[in-house]
Every structure is written in C-alpha cells, then in structure tokens.
C-alpha cells in the first residue's frame, strides 16, 4: 500500500461547506425576513401561524425546499460560458469532480427528505378521506368537511393520493440505490409527476371550493 495516501487526499467536504453556508444562509434568511414582515403586517397570516405548530413546520419545510432546489438549479443550469453553475457553484470551480457530485447528492437527499415527509404527513389523511368517501359518502363531511361536490371531491382525492404515490419510487431510488449507479429516469419521471399532481390538487381545490359568503361553510355540497 501507500502509507499516508489517505492523509494527502483532500476531503470533498472541505470544498463543499462554504457554498452551502452562503447559499442556504442567504435563501433561508431572506425567506425568514419576508415571513417576519408579513407576520407583522398581515393579521390573517399571524393568526394562521399561531393556530398550530405544524404551520411553523411547513414554513421551515419551504425554506429547505427552496434552498436545496435553488442550489441544484444553480449547479445544473449553464452560465454565460456554457459551464454548469455560477460562482462557487460552478462545475469547474469549487465543485469539480467528486465535490460537485457530493454537493448535488446532499441537496438531492435534502429535497427528497422534505417531499417524502410531506407525502407521509398528507397521505394518511387522503387515504382515510378516500375510504370514507367511497364507503360512507353520507358521513364523510362529518369527519372531513369540504364545501365541494362529491364528484369534485373524488377528483381532488385522486390527485392528492397520486401526489404521494408518485413520490415513493423516487424516495426508494434515492435512499436505496447509490448515486453513481442510480438511473436518472427515476427523477425525470416521478418528480414531475409528484409535483404536477400536487400542484394540480392545490389548484383544483382552490377553484372548486366555493368562497365563504356568510352561509354555513361547514355544509358539504352534494353530488
């Protein structure tokens, strides 16, 4: 063997930590400042935050998703010189070879953890509501009140369930398959499907839920 070889080899983390601190620190601080300003000026937002600790969790979730997703985007998209990344995130700059791969993998793991956590939090409720809707439709509003027709509710729940289901193959590939042999098509196929159905569910819910006009908003809309 070659004694001392490991001591000479540079640790990839030595090149990775500074861009992470700069990127995450800038993005998270910016979002936190915006949240504090909105909290001070918008009573409805202040009330929403105080309703449940879960809402604070989702704000932290958004910070991590934006920071990790933003860093991946900056590392992947080419700059004016056609080289992927900018500044400290440049492929031929701080992140060359193993360092660049390590930084991309760390961000990928963070964003997959965030979306998997969201799926595991939301999916049980979606499954329970789907069960009630299909087997006990007359009682579903007693447990999951929505001002929405049964037809629209079925569509919403299909989208909500698909949002979580499409996430699980990506979680499996990210956590169980090493990065150097992980097929790219897992991310290319399942991430857009998961994000797309989740966004579609949110938009559909907002469009199909009647606005509160002062009537009893807890009554479900039949059929």
């Amino acid at each position: 063997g070659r004694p001392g070889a490991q001591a000479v080899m540079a640790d990839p983390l030595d090149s990775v930590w500074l861009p992470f601190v700069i990127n995450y620190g800038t993005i998270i601080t910016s979002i936190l400042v915006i949240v504090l300003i909105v909290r001070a000026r918008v009573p409805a937002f202040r009330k929403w935050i105080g309703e449940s600790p879960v809402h604070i969790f989702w704000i932290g979730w958004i910070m991590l998703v934006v920071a990790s997703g933003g860093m991946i985007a900056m590392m992947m998209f080419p700059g004016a010189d056609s080289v992927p990344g900018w500044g400290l995130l440049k492929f031929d700059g701080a992140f060359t070879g193993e360092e660049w791969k390590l930084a991309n993998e760390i961000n990928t793991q963070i964003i997959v953890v965030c979306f998997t956590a969201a799926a595991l939090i939301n999916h049980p409720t979606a499954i329970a509501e789907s069960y009630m809707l299909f087997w006990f439709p007359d009682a579903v509003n007693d447990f999951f009140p929505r001002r929405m027709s049964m037809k629209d509710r079925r569509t919403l729940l299909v989208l909500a369930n698909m949002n979580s289901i499409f996430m699980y193959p990506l979680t499996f590939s990210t956590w169980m398959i090493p990065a150097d042999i992980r097929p790219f098509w897992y991310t290319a196929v399942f991430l857009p499907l998961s994000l797309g159905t989740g966004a579609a569910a949110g938009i559909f819910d907002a469009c199909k839920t009647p606005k509160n006009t002062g009537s009893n908003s807890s009554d479900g809309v039949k059929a």
Side-chain angles (χ1 to χ4, degrees):
R2 292 183 297 177
Q6 289 186 345
V8 176
M9 294 177 60
D11 188 345
L13 284 175
D14 292 341
S15 299
V16 167
W17 72 266
L18 181 58
F20 265 87
V21 170
I22 294 174
N23 182 75
Y24 275 70
T26 301
I27 293 178
I28 290 177
T29 301
S30 301
I31 295 176
L32 188 58
V33 169
I34 293 172
V35 168
L36 292 175
I37 292 174
V38 174
R39 182 180 181 277
R41 295 179 174 271
V42 181
F45 183 74
R46 186 163 58 247
K47 179 182 177 182
W48 177 80
I49 289 182
E51 284 178 350
S52 171
V54 175
H55 296 163
I56 299 176
F57 164 83
W58 286 118
I59 291 175
W61 184 91
I62 291 172
M63 290 179 181
L64 284 177
V65 168
V66 173
S68 56
M71 195 166 179
I72 289 174
M74 286 188 285
M75 291 175 61
M76 291 297 185
F77 291 102
D81 54 1
S82 299
V83 177
W86 295 276
L88 289 173
L89 302 179
K90 212 173 209 23
F91 186 80
D92 63 348
F95 291 165
T96 55
E98 293 303 316
E99 289 84 356
W100 194 90
K101 294 177 183 177
L102 175 61
N104 183 62
E105 180 64 12
I106 291 173
N107 280 300
T108 299
Q109 293 287 346
I110 291 173
I111 203 167
V112 168
V113 165
C114 288
F115 281 110
T116 302
L120 293 175
I121 290 171
N122 293 324
H123 203 192
T125 302
I127 292 174
E129 185 174 352
S130 300
Y131 175 82
M132 291 294 299
L133 178 64
F134 284 97
W135 292 101
F136 305 99
D138 293 335
V140 65
N141 273 306
D142 296 336
F143 297 91
F144 305 98
R146 290 186 188 274
R147 300 188 68 238
M148 182 181 292
S149 71
M150 293 298 178
K151 178 182 177 181
D152 288 341
R153 189 194 287 251
R154 282 191 288 269
T155 302
L156 173 64
L157 289 174
V158 168
L159 292 172
N161 280 286
M162 289 299 100
N163 169 237
S164 297
I165 290 172
F166 285 136
M167 190 63 216
Y168 300 143
L170 183 58
T171 304
F172 170 83
S173 68
T174 304
W175 292 352
M176 302 302 293
I177 304 176
D180 54 344
I181 61 171
R182 186 185 306 145
F184 177 72
W185 65 265
Y186 272 96
T187 302
V189 171
F190 290 109
L191 184 59
L193 285 173
S194 180
L195 296 181
T197 50
I203 294 171
F204 187 85
D205 189 18
C207 292
K208 293 297 183 178
T209 301
K211 303 299 182 185
N212 190 356
T213 58
S215 59
N216 186 359
S217 60
S218 64
D219 294 336
V221 180
K222 298 295 183 181

